Amino acid sequence: MYLVVGLGNPEKKYFNTFHNMGFMVVDRLVEKLGVSFTKGECRAVTAHAKVNGEKVIVAKPVTYMNLSGEAVQELCHKYKIEKGKLIVAYDDIDITIGKLRIRVNGSAGTHNGMKNIVQMLSTDDFPRVRVGIGKETPMPLIEYVLSQVTDDDHKALDTVLDQAAQALYDFVHGDPIDHVMQKYNIR
């Protein structure tokens, strides 16, 4: 069983913000899987699919970004998610806008949602898909990540969101994470 989590903030005013890249990625993934977000559980909205006979749960926490770990921990416990079967998609300010980086594990960096997940799970040993949103801006970080994505930025992000969703799709179809990394971590 796989658990795929996209990070974001649940209120409508945040839907088109840089901090909701994780939600945007998993929205595209559920389209590819032919399912939709229909269930509320464990402080998240979830979509359930079967891939090659294995259950896949795609989740968007409704706890707000900084408490994402609460929902992730509850889902991992409820579904007894095994090591290597959890993957998280989120925005990363330290990666140039429009770039994609996939990692097997690692620190949460400056991302508060990831910090909370690492804290709640007591490990940073799970794969993640990071969508770059970094660019020069005079805005303070919190204002920038919660600002609306412009049409020009959408052009830069559209391809990477599709690539991120495809990487998750490949992962839940059984591609080992190192193969997914080799395919999508193009410099």
Side-chain angles (χ1 to χ4, degrees), residues 13 22 26 31 33 85 103-104 109 113 135 142 150 155 160 174 176:
K13 67 182 180 180
V26 296
E31 268 185 49
L33 294 172
K85 299 285 185 130
R103 292 180 61 188
V104 174
K135 68 177 187 176
I142 189 68
T150 66
K155 289 176 189 166
V160 76

Side-chain angles (χ1 to χ4, degrees), residues 160-174:
V160 76
L161 290 170
D162 283 341
Q163 289 171 340
Q166 186 63 48
L168 293 172
Y169 185 84
D170 292 354
F171 179 73
V172 300
H173 274 79

Side-chain angles (χ1 to χ4, degrees), residues 32-44:
K32 289 179 169 297
L33 294 172
V35 295
S36 57
F37 290 100
T38 57
K39 189 171 181 181
E41 60 181 324
C42 301
R43 294 189 266 182

Side-chain angles (χ1 to χ4, degrees), residues 15-175:
F15 282 4
N16 187 45
T17 63
F18 288 102
H19 224 17
N20 270 33
M21 292 297 122
F23 279 9
M24 292 178 197
V25 170
V26 296
D27 284 343
R28 292 176 188 218
L29 173 63
V30 298
E31 268 185 49
K32 289 179 169 297
L33 294 172
V35 295
S36 57
F37 290 100
T38 57
K39 189 171 181 181
E41 60 181 324
C42 301
R43 294 189 266 182
V45 293
T46 60
H48 294 245
K50 279 267 195 202
V51 175
N52 298 331
E54 192 157 8
K55 190 169 189 170
V56 176
I57 300 151
V58 183
K60 296 193 295 190
V62 295
T63 55
Y64 290 95
M65 183 67 78
N66 295 351
L67 299 175
S68 298
E70 294 175 1
V72 175
Q73 181 187 48
E74 287 180 28
L75 287 163
C76 284
H77 178 73
K78 178 178 181 175
Y79 290 105
K80 297 173 180 48
I81 301 300
E82 298 172 19
K83 183 178 180 205
K85 299 285 185 130
L86 163 68
I87 192 166
V88 180
Y90 61 99
D91 62 282
D92 194 322
I93 192 72
D94 296 320
I95 298 172
T96 304
I97 192 166
K99 301 290 182 190
L100 179 66
R101 291 290 174 266
I102 301 168
R103 292 180 61 188
V104 174
N105 56 27
S107 77
T110 59
H111 198 282
N112 289 330
M114 284 298 289
K115 285 180 184 177
N116 188 249
I117 292 171
V118 168
Q119 176 189 3
M120 296 301 291
L121 296 181
S122 299
T123 184
D124 63 4
D125 192 16
F126 55 89
R128 65 275 324 260
V129 174
R130 303 177 302 155
V131 175
I133 62 164
K135 68 177 187 176
E136 290 202 24
T137 177
M139 283 187 249
L141 178 62
I142 189 68
E143 284 181 37
Y144 173 67
V145 298
L146 295 177
S147 69
Q148 295 293 306
V149 178
T150 66
D151 287 342
D152 284 344
D153 289 331
H154 266 296
K155 289 176 189 166
L157 289 163
D158 198 44
T159 299
V160 76
L161 290 170
D162 283 341
Q163 289 171 340
Q166 186 63 48
L168 293 172
Y169 185 84
D170 292 354
F171 179 73
V172 300
H173 274 79
D175 280 5

